[in-house]
Amino acid sequence: MRRFLRSGHDPARERLKRDLFQFNKTVEHGFPHQPSALGYSPSLRILAIGTRSGAVKLYGAPGVEFMGLHRENNAVVQIYFLPGQCQLVTLLDDNSLHLWSLKVKGGVSELQEDESFTLRGPPGAAPSATQITVVLPHSSSKTLYLGTESGSVFVVQVPGFRTLEDRTISSDTVLQRLPEEARQRRVFEMVEALQEHPRDPSQVLIGYSRGLIVIWDLRGSRVLCHFLSSQQLDSACWQRDGRLIVSCHSDGSYCQWPVNPDTQQLEPLRSCVPYGPFPCKAITKIFWLTTKQGLPFTIFQGGMPRASYGDRHCISVVHNGQQTAFDFTSRVIDFTVLSEVDPAAAFDDPYALVVLAEEELVVLDLRTDGWPPVQPPYLASLHCSAITCSHHVSNIPLKLWERIIAAGSWQNTHFSTMEWPIDGGISLAPTPPQRDLLLTGHEDGTVRFWDASGVCLRLLYKLSTVPVFLTDTDPSEHLNAQGEDEWPPLRKVGSFDPYSDDPRLGIQKIFLCKYSGYLAVAGTAGQVLVLELNDEEAEHVVEQVEADLLQDQEGYRWKGHERLCARPGPVRFEPGFQPFVLVQCQPPAVVTSLALHSEWRLVAFGTSHGFGLFDHQQRRQVFVKCTLHPSDQLALEGPLSRVKSLKKSLRQSFRRMRRSRVPSQKRRPAGSPGEVPERSCRTERLGLQNMELAPVQRKIEARTAEDSFTGFVRTLYFADTYLRDSSRHCPSLWAGTNGGTVYAFALRVPPAERRMDEPVRAEQVKEIQLMHRAPVVGILVLDGHSVPLPEPLEVAHDLSKSPDMQGSHQLLVVSEEQFKAFTLPKVSAKLKLKLTALEGSRVRRVSVAHFSSCRAEDYGEHHLAVLTNLGDIQVVSLPLLKPQVRYGCIRREDVSGIASCVFTKHGQGFYLISPSEFERFSLSTKWLVEPRCLVDSAETKNHSRPRNGSGPEKALGRARNSGSQSDGEGVLKEIQSTLEGDRRSYGDWRSQQVAMSQVSRPGVQAVR
Amino acid sequence: MNRSHRHGVGSGCLGTMEVKSKFGAEFRRFSLERSKPGKFEEFYGLLQHVHKIPNVDVLVGYADIHGDLLPINNDDNYHKAVSTANPLLRIFIQKKEEADYSAFGTDTLIKKKNVLTNVLRPDNHKKKPHIVISMPQDFRPVSSIIDVDILPETHRRVRLYKYGTEKPLGFYIRDGSSVRVTPHGLEKVPGIFISRLVPGGLAQSTGLLAVNDEVLEVNGIEVSGKSLDQVTDMMIANSRNLIITVRPANQRNNVVRNSRTSGSSGQSTDNSLLGYPQQMEPSFEPEDEDSDEDDIVIEDNGVPQQIPKAVHNTESLESLTQMELNLESGQNGFIPSNEVSLTLAASGTDTEFETRVPNQKLLEEDGTIITL
């Protein structure tokens, strides 16, 4: 009865809930999906990226990020910043223009759309007449020049988007102003290039696609110069002093034209096909940049020999006799060159090349020899190989953090030492109070370690498990691919590499112990690796063990993939996490669950066949348990390949069709035999007709033990609890299956001094079968105070109070459908929450999180953060299992988003909104990582060189002066209270206060 | 107190009691220790023994002080019979297959004679048809139409009880649309419908659901606004005690009541679901909710048992006391000795259970741990 009544609203609890929970999507990490446009403001030093889904993202100094979304959801085609302004104009593929501006509100800048505009031609004009091909924001910041497909250039006033019709430069006008001899050819068509004179704002270069370039005098409305090329024009560039124009063409050539209004130039000064003599592809964009040294930089996109390298995505840099064709692994969307901003300076002196490729952003240092790449602090390509799993670890000890960074620095030696050149704006976000790691597992067998503490998701270190195995490809092959005298001088850049050598290498589960530095990684072919952090390079043999999960089950045939073949003999490992044990499950099914207990030195792993426990101290298998139901043939045969499941579903639908026809035939009274074929024909036809008309239907049936994949091990959990009797607690291992079964094993771990001498023993003590048979997705033990048991080594490191072992423990089993609390050691049902029965939603992810109050400094509660198959995020209270709050977070159709969700220990979370982007969200009022930044055109205008890391200090100084929230004291207080709230959760913080702040959080100490 | 005193005097021999047992036409007499009657099983065996019918299933009844014929089929009513017998315990035994359940009853002071004659002369009772009522242990919930009194006539609330049957629920649901009366006139709204019944399934065999019935609620929760998959999940989650409120496609078999909805019955039906939210609260008994709570635990003795409901506060106390006893041995969370804990666990094992579950595999790990 109770469940049908609305739970009474307790006002005090409701108030507390408001102090504890609040839902925000805070920031998007990673690289925008399907970027379609690039813009850069040299004055603001801010980069803008537009996407095909209509998003505009702005990036400045690390932490300075803005995001805007066009209502239209159309692709952003071009982005232009208004010179010297905090404003930008976007052109969408529906030919609409949108004006965005960064406005300061409450001390922080916000990106907002001010107005939009669609260019209208005269009535009756063809739509192409107003189809915008290129936009030139005039340096006066009052007008936009819009080049169109018809060849006309329209002038629009901003803000307000008022068309100044009298100033339109139509192709006819230009034609009339041309000298007689140039008029003979129809040279107009669409406008391809529109450039303002670098020194004289009254002159504009207009390039038409047929090859004509004119310099138009805006004041006198006349042609100052014209240049006629024999080739189709793609783009043009004005030299800094305005005395030279460089045009690039569809045949892969570029031409230099000296600008001299007095003498008409018929032929280019110089014409060049850089990758000739064979036919080349078009050069689509070109930069011609002067340097103090005299020799210019020529940087252009495309122009590769059509036959042999036509499929490459290249940008070439030519300077001082050096030439490199940077070869990108994905299509180049656009590029720009960062150079001297001051208009008075004599030379461009470019310092960085920024390339937006379809899958990554690459910045090259043009000042250093060899033009090395600069490591971006944001816009990381999360998907350089597809993400297969992720794992979040909160509050990393400084020691481990530094060691991981040190290991990563070994891998980053090829990066330039240049400061990140795009450094506009000021981040006002408080320094993250703790160090968080996000680990992503990838299809190519790598694990990437990301700094997830703040707004910028930064790659710290990359671990590859591939060297452990023998794979088809030899890594040395790649290195010899290009020799010295290769032409064109291709150089691969970027990290995006979607091709996996072997899908079996894919990482499926990750478990990192932040205290001991032990890492367990498991993959697609049943491989489980235990790794240890080593600061030195080492060469050693990885011990191999096979875990036969089928044990005595017989007569089964594994039709899936072979297991991976381990590399024999010693293997050389670079500094970082180095594997020392390899356990291979047999059959080599994908590892579905993994748990590591670094204190007991045990690792547990599960597949669709069973689970096992491995003692990585003694390098010995403790036990394996087969969880297969004897009738479950599917699980035995192999992984559900797409082909197979399709076949199966086809078979099923045919069967269904047949079945639906059977009753009607049976009911028919036995007639003469001659009648049968005709009638059955008719019923068959009827059946088919019904099939076609019948909508999707769902079978309603209780689950049975015979269902497929019931043995699939979904979750593994180590706990030191009362398993047998209430007098003694002991180490235990818990496993939950897809069929609603929970197994509990009592473990006997020898004491430390005899750890190597005596074997670890295990014995099954309990088996719980949930009658609703829904998959078990989480197991948790609460101590006598109903607080979740601490992580291994947490107590040993004084970071948590030891759990309460006096009161009775509780077992919490979370299935996809229900939350259930049981007493221990005698299992009796205590509480439950039947989620699915109430809402029709199922639990997809569950994780314990600590929620601190935003008001009371030392108040916090442990609860369950839950993600359902409908994309809702809920908080379910501990220990009473009462739903607290519910927020819609992910679209229910976004299956991959829901599958990728990972919660942190403090009520935040991440999920993939595209293959390359994590959305970060927060359920907590306290733990919010979101960009707070200020962009000021006046302030940022006067710096032109890359600054040397003066950002943070400035940010802090600013933070103190501006608004109430970012007030320095407020920040400090916030950090302090967060700390204390945190401590409170681990128990008696008063006694540990001093030790805590000194030992565990040196980073925060520094802030204080 | 009073009575036992009287017994003591009356029977002459303190603590023993005379039993007169009748099976068919035969009487047997024997005596029992009043203070130690033993278990019902033993008594049952004794009766079979004295009547020399060792392998015949019988029903045992006794005449209580009011002369009612009451059954003896468990320890409780056996003890009750023994303690109230005055002065002798009269037992009536019937073969199970010939049993006349109607003979049992309580309000039979008046019919007392009849009852006894019925039992004594079994051929008499053919006069009137009897409704056969099973023994309590055979009782089980069955699928039914419920809440007729609180639902609009056009709706039907159906409980499908899967419990105890091997039949599948056996139906399919689909998306569809239904016409509703709204303030803006008739409107087409999406709905969930029964699309197919599996022959021989619970839904079809009970006849409570039919194809094209519109599903309105699942276990008290409205399905409007929920997707087909959501409703599917809700139904499967409640599959052990599924209560579906439908609007039957065939409205001719509705229960007609002559109260409440006056006149404008036809149209108001759909609104009535919204109009009487309080009355719509289903009248489930508290046990309903827990009828699916028969999760099973297998402790290390290998016997599957239903997980009991936790009794609050007692356990912590118990653990406290035991904690003190074994404090010195439970250090570091390691098991100091396996044997102790095993014997402790095994002590609670009932021997009779072990034979019942031969299919339960005993555990063997590594050969190093003692197996049970």
Side-chain angles (χ1 to χ4, degrees):
Chain A
M1 195 72 202
R2 204 164 13 109
R3 65 177 156 160
F4 295 111
L5 299 176
R6 288 260 167 275
S7 56
H9 283 271
D10 173 10
R13 181 67 202 163
E14 292 300 314
R15 219 175 305 125
L16 189 56
K17 274 196 213 168
R18 277 198 296 278
D19 293 349
L20 291 172
F21 314 117
Q22 146 192 319
F23 181 73
N24 284 297
K25 288 187 183 179
T26 53
V27 61
E28 289 171 10
H29 295 303
F31 185 75
H33 186 51
Q34 295 185 316
S36 52
L38 173 75
Y40 180 74
S41 166
S43 60
L44 299 176
R45 303 172 74 87
I46 281 186
L47 182 81
I49 295 176
T51 72
R52 264 191 245 172
S53 54
V56 189
K57 296 183 160 200
L58 267 54
Y59 297 90
V64 176
E65 290 185 15
F66 300 95
M67 198 322 249
L69 191 64
H70 291 90
R71 273 183 294 275
E72 290 81 359
N73 272 355
N74 280 317
V76 179
V77 181
Q78 295 176 34
I79 301 178
Y80 300 92
F81 280 89
L82 300 189
Q85 306 289 309
C86 285
Q87 284 180 312
L88 61 153
V89 171
T90 55
L91 172 67
L92 303 192
D93 65 355
D94 64 352
N95 204 35
S96 62
L97 286 169
H98 301 257
L99 181 68
W100 296 77
S101 59
L102 288 165
K103 295 228 168 86
V104 180
K105 273 185 192 161
V108 292
S109 297
E110 283 175 18
L111 179 68
Q112 59 182 59
E113 187 180 344
D114 291 340
E115 50 193 334
S116 64
F117 168 75
T118 305
L119 186 62
R120 307 237 174 270
S128 69
T130 53
Q131 185 70 44
I132 300 167
T133 52
V134 61
V135 179
L136 167 66
H138 195 256
S139 59
S140 66
S141 295
K142 292 200 178 82
T143 46
L144 295 179
Y145 290 83
L146 311 174
T148 61
E149 276 186 9
S150 65
S152 297
V153 175
F154 293 90
V155 187
V156 171
Q157 196 175 39
V158 279
F161 281 125
R162 199 162 61 82
T163 316
L164 304 172
E165 277 172 25
D166 52 325
R167 288 167 65 180
T168 301
I169 309 161
S170 71
S171 45
D172 290 338
T173 324
V174 174
L175 190 67
Q176 285 160 21
R177 309 295 199 276
L178 275 179
E180 201 71 41
E181 71 274 11
R183 272 189 227 168
Q184 63 245 23
R185 279 167 56 196
R186 293 297 298 168
V187 283
F188 293 103
E189 297 221 333
M190 64 164 101
V191 179
E192 284 283 7
L194 209 50
Q195 301 257 321
E196 187 181 326
H197 190 287
R199 298 279 154 96
D200 180 0
S202 69
Q203 288 182 35
V204 169
L205 172 154
I206 307 172
Y208 299 93
S209 59
R210 277 286 169 85
L212 176 74
I213 298 170
V214 298
I215 294 176
W216 184 259
D217 180 9
L218 293 172
R219 256 174 277 161
S221 289
R222 61 194 176 100
V223 173
L224 291 175
C225 290
H226 74 273
F227 314 96
L228 200 53
S229 160
S230 57
Q231 292 295 328
Q232 292 258 350
L233 179 77
D234 266 288
S235 183
C237 173
W238 219 320
Q239 190 176 287
R240 191 174 186 87
D241 55 10
R243 292 200 194 130
L244 185 76
I245 286 169
V246 181
S247 64
C248 56
H249 303 275
S250 61
D251 65 339
S253 66
Y254 66 89
C255 306
Q256 299 167 18
W257 310 84
V259 180
N260 190 346
D262 308 325
T263 56
Q264 185 53 50
Q265 197 81 25
L266 290 174
E267 286 299 313
L269 182 74
R270 184 169 161 256
S271 178
C272 158
V273 184
Y275 295 109
F278 299 112
C280 290
K281 296 196 83 174
I283 294 178
T284 49
K285 188 173 180 180
I286 191 160
F287 275 84
W288 177 271
L289 300 149
T290 55
T291 60
K292 256 189 226 83
Q293 287 81 18
L295 287 159
F297 268 97
T298 316
I299 301 171
F300 59 88
Q301 176 184 356
M304 300 309 284
R306 185 177 294 275
S308 42
Y309 296 97
D311 56 342
R312 302 296 180 102
H313 315 289
C314 286
I315 288 180
S316 303
V317 180
V318 186
H319 173 63
N320 198 10
Q322 289 178 54
Q323 180 164 358
T324 303
F326 292 102
D327 185 9
F328 296 87
T329 50
S330 56
R331 199 164 59 88
V332 172
I333 303 295
D334 200 358
F335 73 101
T336 189
V337 181
L338 310 191
S339 55
E340 182 59 55
V341 178
D342 184 6
F347 302 100
D348 289 308
D349 283 331
Y351 55 89
L353 168 64
V354 179
V355 182
L356 177 66
E358 184 134 51
E359 306 290 358
E360 62 189 327
L361 181 82
V362 176
V363 174
L364 297 164
D365 175 4
L366 295 180
R367 288 230 176 110
T368 309
D369 285 339
W371 303 319
V374 187
Q375 190 177 20
Y378 42 67
L379 285 165
S381 276
L382 295 171
H383 61 317
C384 358
S385 169
I387 294 180
T388 43
C389 67
S390 39
H391 176 69
H392 186 272
V393 190
S394 301
N395 209 358
I396 303 287
L398 182 64
K399 183 84 182 128
L400 178 66
W401 189 258
E402 284 172 342
R403 291 176 74 189
I404 290 172
I405 288 177
S409 65
W410 274 79
Q411 303 174 327
N412 293 338
T413 46
H414 64 289
F415 282 117
S416 160
T417 52
M418 180 195 247
E419 287 281 323
W420 181 244
I422 301 162
D423 55 358
I426 294 156
S427 174
L428 303 177
T431 318
Q434 62 178 29
R435 290 166 295 273
D436 287 356
L437 262 186
L438 181 66
L439 279 70
T440 53
H442 297 262
E443 200 181 25
D444 63 353
T446 58
V447 178
R448 284 172 166 80
F449 290 62
W450 306 91
D451 172 4
S453 328
V455 173
C456 294
L457 193 71
R458 200 161 50 91
L459 181 66
L460 297 179
Y461 165 70
K462 184 178 108 177
L463 161 73
S464 176
T465 62
V466 180
V468 180
F469 304 103
L470 282 173
T471 51
D472 300 338
T473 48
D474 193 0
S476 58
E477 232 170 77
H478 289 289
L479 298 172
N480 303 334
Q482 38 191 299
E484 281 288 302
D485 50 348
E486 199 78 18
W487 188 261
L490 291 171
R491 171 135 64 97
K492 275 248 181 279
V493 279
S495 57
F496 179 71
D497 176 18
Y499 307 106
S500 167
D501 295 339
D502 188 338
R504 294 176 298 168
L505 291 168
I507 306 294
Q508 297 294 336
K509 293 285 163 195
I510 306 169
F511 202 109
L512 171 70
C513 170
K514 60 183 176 184
Y515 302 110
S516 62
Y518 279 111
L519 173 72
V521 163
T524 306
Q527 75 270 35
V528 180
L529 283 165
V530 188
L531 305 95
E532 201 173 12
L533 190 52
N534 185 356
D535 301 324
E536 305 293 325
E537 199 176 23
E539 189 166 356
H540 60 253
V541 179
V542 177
E543 192 148 337
Q544 294 175 51
V545 185
E546 185 177 294
D548 179 18
L549 293 173
L550 285 181
Q551 285 180 289
D552 45 354
Q553 307 263 10
E554 273 173 25
Y556 297 136
R557 202 150 46 97
W558 170 254
K559 292 181 188 166
H561 46 233
E562 293 280 298
R563 70 173 196 188
L564 282 161
C565 198
R567 197 176 285 277
V571 184
R572 191 151 203 90
F573 296 103
E574 55 180 25
F577 286 93
Q578 298 173 345
F580 60 93
V581 166
L582 167 66
V583 181
Q584 289 190 291
C585 297
Q586 201 59 32
V590 51
V591 176
T592 54
S593 55
L594 182 71
L596 176 76
H597 200 293
S598 44
E599 195 172 352
W600 303 335
R601 305 287 162 101
L602 296 172
V603 61
F605 47 89
T607 71
S608 49
H609 302 93
F611 58 98
L613 182 68
F614 188 82
D615 173 1
H616 66 77
Q617 178 86 4
Q618 289 185 26
R619 319 262 161 106
R620 203 184 130 264
Q621 181 175 295
V622 180
F623 76 91
V624 290
K625 162 98 182 165
C626 181
T627 54
L628 271 187
H629 194 276
S631 68
D632 192 354
Q633 275 300 323
L634 266 178
L636 293 160
E637 286 178 355
L640 261 187
S641 70
R642 239 175 238 157
V643 182
K644 197 177 281 174
S645 61
L646 177 69
K647 217 193 285 171
K648 190 185 154 225
S649 66
L650 273 176
R651 204 186 308 134
Q652 274 177 345
S653 59
F654 276 118
R655 209 173 283 156
R656 215 178 295 139
M657 217 162 97
R658 216 175 303 138
R659 229 185 283 138
S660 64
R661 288 200 300 266
V662 166
S664 59
Q665 287 176 332
K666 266 189 186 159
R667 248 182 276 123
R668 178 167 37 91
S672 63
E675 227 179 285
V676 174
E678 192 220 324
R679 284 190 95 172
S680 68
C681 258
R682 196 187 306 150
T683 46
E684 216 157 282
R685 236 179 290 130
L686 271 171
L688 271 172
Q689 232 164 26
N690 288 342
M691 275 298 293
E692 278 156 18
L693 294 174
V696 188
Q697 54 178 3
R698 295 274 183 274
K699 188 178 187 181
I700 307 298
E701 210 46 78
R703 290 195 193 83
T704 65
E706 284 81 42
D707 284 349
S708 251
F709 291 105
T710 49
F712 194 115
V713 178
R714 291 290 293 265
T715 182
L716 288 162
Y717 177 68
F718 285 107
D720 185 1
T721 187
Y722 299 94
L723 191 56
R724 290 173 188 280
D725 57 75
S726 46
S727 56
R728 266 185 310 269
H729 55 93
C730 66
S732 62
L733 172 66
W734 299 77
T737 71
N738 227 26
T741 312
V742 174
Y743 300 95
F745 281 74
L747 308 179
R748 189 187 136 89
V749 184
E753 64 273 16
R754 297 197 301 276
R755 184 64 180 79
M756 285 307 285
D757 310 331
E758 294 176 18
V760 176
R761 292 178 179 180
E763 180 191 11
Q764 181 168 335
V765 176
K766 289 187 194 322
E767 179 181 333
I768 299 170
Q769 176 62 55
L770 303 176
M771 281 327 270
H772 64 285
R773 294 190 188 280
V776 177
V777 292
I779 298 174
L780 183 69
V781 173
L782 308 180
D783 73 3
H785 291 129
S786 297
V787 173
L789 293 184
E791 285 174 50
L793 292 174
E794 210 166 50
V795 177
H797 282 68
D798 271 352
L799 289 169
S800 165
K801 207 186 72 168
S802 27
D804 177 80
M805 298 309 246
Q806 304 294 317
S808 55
H809 282 195
Q810 279 182 65
L811 169 70
L812 185 70
V813 178
V814 183
S815 79
E816 280 191 0
E817 298 188 348
Q818 301 186 6
F819 299 79
K820 289 194 153 184
F822 299 96
T823 58
L824 282 178
K826 170 123 184 60
V827 176
S828 46
K830 206 169 171 189
L831 284 168
K832 65 176 176 297
L833 169 66
K834 291 162 83 174
L835 186 76
T836 311
L838 288 170
E839 302 179 352
S841 59
R842 275 183 285 178
V843 178
R844 279 281 173 265
R845 279 274 179 289
V846 63
S847 177
V848 177
H850 182 264
F851 293 92
S852 328
S853 164
C854 60
R855 276 171 207 277
E857 293 202 344
D858 55 349
Y859 188 76
E861 296 176 359
H862 282 282
H863 292 304
L864 294 175
V866 178
L867 173 76
T868 71
N869 66 331
L870 303 180
D872 288 343
I873 296 214
Q874 308 197 12
V875 175
V876 174
S877 75
L878 285 180
L880 293 176
L881 302 179
K882 296 232 181 295
Q884 301 291 302
V885 285
R886 181 162 94 178
Y887 309 102
C889 180
I890 313 175
R891 281 181 308 111
R892 69 172 67 170
E893 297 82 19
D894 185 3
V895 180
S896 61
I898 291 171
S900 65
C901 180
V902 55
F903 287 109
T904 78
K905 289 233 157 12
H906 297 278
Q908 295 192 56
F910 302 86
Y911 68 92
L912 288 172
I913 47 175
S914 72
S916 57
E917 286 167 290
F918 271 119
E919 173 84 59
R920 187 186 194 113
F921 62 86
S922 172
L923 287 166
S924 163
T925 49
K926 197 144 215 177
W927 295 80
L928 256 162
V929 172
E930 60 182 344
R932 292 175 57 80
C933 32
L934 186 67
V935 175
D936 184 358
S937 58
E939 197 265 338
T940 46
K941 221 173 184 173
N942 47 21
H943 62 73
S944 56
R945 306 249 157 195
R947 281 171 294 152
N948 288 331
S950 62
E953 287 86 19
K954 221 168 186 178
L956 242 132
R958 280 222 155 233
R960 293 216 172 85
N961 304 335
S962 56
S964 61
Q965 253 287 344
S966 51
D967 178 65
E969 254 179 48
V971 172
L972 210 72
K973 223 176 228 171
E974 197 173 348
I975 294 167
Q976 194 170 351
S977 62
T978 318
L979 271 176
E980 279 160 6
D982 196 26
R983 226 176 277 140
R984 163 66 176 74
S985 75
Y986 294 127
D988 186 9
W989 57 275
R990 266 168 254 274
S991 61
Q992 296 175 357
Q993 190 168 16
V994 181
M996 286 288 293
S997 52
Q998 284 176 350
V999 177
S1000 70
R1001 290 191 178 80
V1004 174
Q1005 192 66 31
V1007 173
R1008 280 184 171 180
Chain B
M1 190 69 187
N2 213 352
R3 198 189 299 165
S4 70
H5 178 70
R6 226 185 322 135
H7 283 308
V9 175
S11 60
C13 181
L14 201 90
T16 59
M17 176 191 63
E18 195 179 350
V19 180
K20 184 180 171 190
S21 170
K22 180 178 182 289
F23 173 64
E26 289 187 34
F27 287 96
R28 292 285 186 278
R29 282 170 184 271
F30 54 97
S31 66
L32 274 179
E33 284 276 330
R34 191 186 286 274
S35 55
K36 291 188 277 184
K39 289 190 186 313
F40 168 69
E41 275 90 1
E42 297 164 18
F43 180 67
Y44 187 83
L46 183 66
L47 289 176
Q48 284 181 322
H49 176 71
V50 298
H51 284 282
K52 299 198 169 57
I53 43 168
N55 292 317
V56 182
D57 280 338
V58 292
L59 287 179
V60 182
Y62 75 104
D64 78 341
I65 46 166
H66 307 296
D68 295 334
L69 180 65
L70 299 177
I72 301 180
N73 47 27
N74 58 34
D75 286 351
D76 286 340
N77 52 20
Y78 169 56
H79 290 159
K80 174 82 176 166
V82 170
S83 64
T84 56
N86 183 29
L88 92 168
L89 179 62
R90 291 196 292 161
I91 298 289
F92 301 94
I93 299 172
Q94 296 172 273
K95 274 191 185 169
K96 219 168 202 167
E97 53 265 36
E98 301 167 358
D100 174 15
Y101 295 97
S102 67
F104 296 106
T106 48
D107 54 341
T108 48
L109 246 186
I110 312 126
K111 296 191 282 177
K112 179 177 146 190
K113 271 279 168 275
N114 285 342
V115 170
L116 285 179
T117 43
N118 276 350
V119 177
L120 297 177
R121 276 188 296 280
D123 39 53
N124 263 8
H125 64 221
K126 280 180 184 153
K127 287 181 278 189
K128 48 180 178 179
H130 288 291
I131 300 162
V132 175
I133 299 169
S134 324
M135 296 305 287
Q137 70 261 31
D138 296 333
F139 281 9
R140 61 176 179 80
V142 291
S143 305
S144 58
I145 298 180
I146 57 169
D147 292 337
V148 178
D149 48 340
I150 58 168
L151 281 173
E153 287 159 19
T154 50
H155 295 165
R156 178 188 294 171
R157 184 164 290 160
V158 170
R159 164 184 280 165
L160 290 178
Y161 243 117
K162 197 176 150 47
Y163 187 84
T165 67
E166 286 308 307
K167 279 179 185 170
L169 287 168
F171 66 97
Y172 288 72
I173 58 172
R174 62 167 169 90
D175 278 317
S177 61
S178 70
V179 179
R180 292 286 166 92
V181 183
T182 66
H184 316 289
L186 291 175
E187 245 177 46
K188 239 184 176 185
V189 293
I192 304 286
F193 294 84
I194 309 275
S195 64
R196 194 154 75 80
L197 300 181
V198 177
L202 205 55
Q204 194 233 26
S205 61
T206 56
L208 299 174
L209 294 176
V211 171
N212 291 334
D213 286 1
E214 183 181 1
V215 178
L216 303 172
E217 289 178 353
V218 175
N219 287 52
I221 296 176
E222 278 191 48
V223 304
S224 73
K226 291 196 161 62
S227 69
L228 184 65
D229 287 330
Q230 245 174 308
V231 177
T232 306
D233 283 342
M234 284 169 71
M235 287 188 174
I236 291 174
N238 287 305
S239 60
R240 298 184 67 78
N241 175 26
L242 183 58
I243 298 162
I244 305 179
T245 310
V246 293
R247 185 168 46 172
N250 180 356
Q251 290 280 342
R252 275 174 296 178
N253 296 334
N254 292 341
V255 184
V256 179
R257 276 174 282 121
N258 42 9
S259 62
R260 239 186 46 196
T261 45
S262 55
S264 65
S265 59
Q267 289 203 339
S268 65
T269 51
D270 296 315
N271 297 341
S272 65
L273 194 62
L274 309 166
Y276 303 96
Q278 296 320 104
Q279 284 161 301
M280 291 300 291
E281 293 295 343
S283 57
F284 302 132
E285 301 92 57
E287 311 92 85
D288 278 351
E289 206 189 334
D290 292 328
S291 59
D292 61 340
E293 294 310 293
D294 38 10
D295 295 342
I296 288 171
V297 61
I298 304 172
E299 301 278 349
D300 49 3
N301 54 25
V303 180
Q305 293 167 323
Q306 282 201 0
I307 295 179
K309 290 279 278 182
V311 186
H312 293 279
N313 297 332
T314 51
E315 205 137 54
S316 55
L317 210 75
E318 182 187 51
S319 67
L320 265 177
T321 49
Q322 292 200 13
M323 191 71 186
E324 280 162 274
L325 285 172
N326 295 305
L327 203 61
E328 73 286 352
S329 55
Q331 292 167 344
N332 295 339
F334 298 108
I335 306 169
S337 117
N338 241 338
E339 289 75 14
V340 177
S341 60
L342 287 181
T343 47
L344 264 175
S347 64
T349 316
D350 255 341
T351 43
E352 51 167 328
F353 281 120
E354 298 221 290
T355 51
R356 229 190 259 173
V357 276
N359 56 336
Q360 267 306 318
K361 257 195 267 172
L362 290 174
L363 236 125
E364 277 185 57
E365 294 302 345
D366 282 2
T368 50
I369 301 288
I370 296 155
T371 55
L372 282 167

